[in-house]
Amino acid sequence: VQLQASGGGLVQPGDSLRLSCAASGGTFSTYNMGWFRQAPGKEREFVAVINWTGGRIYYTDSVKGRFTISRDNAKNTVYLQMNSLKPEDTAVYYCAADRKGMGVSTSRGEYDYWGQGTLVTVSS
C-alpha cells in the first residue's frame, strides 16, 4: 500500500488548507485512516481518524471545531480540511492506514502504512 499526501503549504494564521492522501495498492475502503503531525523537535502526534465506513471520527482536542476529516472510498482518498489555522499547527502532516479496520486508534503503533508527509507552515 502506498499513501501519497499533498496539499501542504505556507499560510497565514486564520487561513485554511485541505490536505489529501491518495492510497494505492490496497483495499482502501476497509482501512481506518488517520492523520498525524510532527512539529520540529517534537514527537509525531495524533490529529484525527476516520473509520472505514466514515461513521466513526475522532479528533485530538486541539483541532476540534477547526479540522474536519473525511474520505471518499470511490477515490481511495482521505482528506483533512483545516480551518482557522494557528502557528502551533505548523508541522509535517502524515496520513496513515490501519488495515485492521477495528476500533479507531490514536496510537501510531496501530497504523500499518504511512505516507511521506506534507509540510504545513502557519506564519504571518
Side-chain angles (χ1 to χ4, degrees):
V1 175
Q2 291 187 328
L3 302 176
Q4 181 71 40
S6 62
L10 173 63
V11 297
Q12 294 186 339
D15 285 351
S16 298
L17 276 177
R18 188 176 81 154
L19 305 184
S20 299
C21 174
S24 60
T27 52
F28 176 82
S29 62
T30 68
Y31 301 156
N32 293 343
M33 297 298 299
W35 285 98
F36 290 75
R37 65 186 180 185
Q38 187 166 17
K42 295 187 177 181
E43 293 190 352
R44 193 171 301 187
E45 65 174 2
F46 167 79
V47 176
V49 60
I50 185 169
N51 81 326
W52 61 280
T53 68
R56 293 187 65 187
I57 291 173
Y58 186 74
Y59 300 97
T60 193
D61 285 345
S62 62
V63 308
K64 285 180 181 177
R66 300 189 298 122
F67 290 11
T68 302
I69 189 172
S70 62
R71 67 189 296 158
D72 185 339
N73 286 347
K75 295 182 178 180
N76 288 352
T77 301
V78 62
Y79 304 98
L80 186 68
Q81 177 67 43
M82 305 186 295
N83 298 330
S84 302
L85 283 161
K86 304 176 180 180
E88 52 263 43
D89 295 318
T90 295
V92 177
Y93 283 71
Y94 298 88
C95 57
D98 171 6
R99 65 184 178 184
K100 296 179 292 298
M102 302 297 286
V104 294
S105 175
T106 65
S107 172
R108 290 176 296 174
E110 294 298 317
Y111 289 80
D112 304 289
Y113 307 109
W114 291 84
Q116 86 289 0
T118 185
L119 176 62
V120 173
T121 303
V122 185
S123 176
S124 55

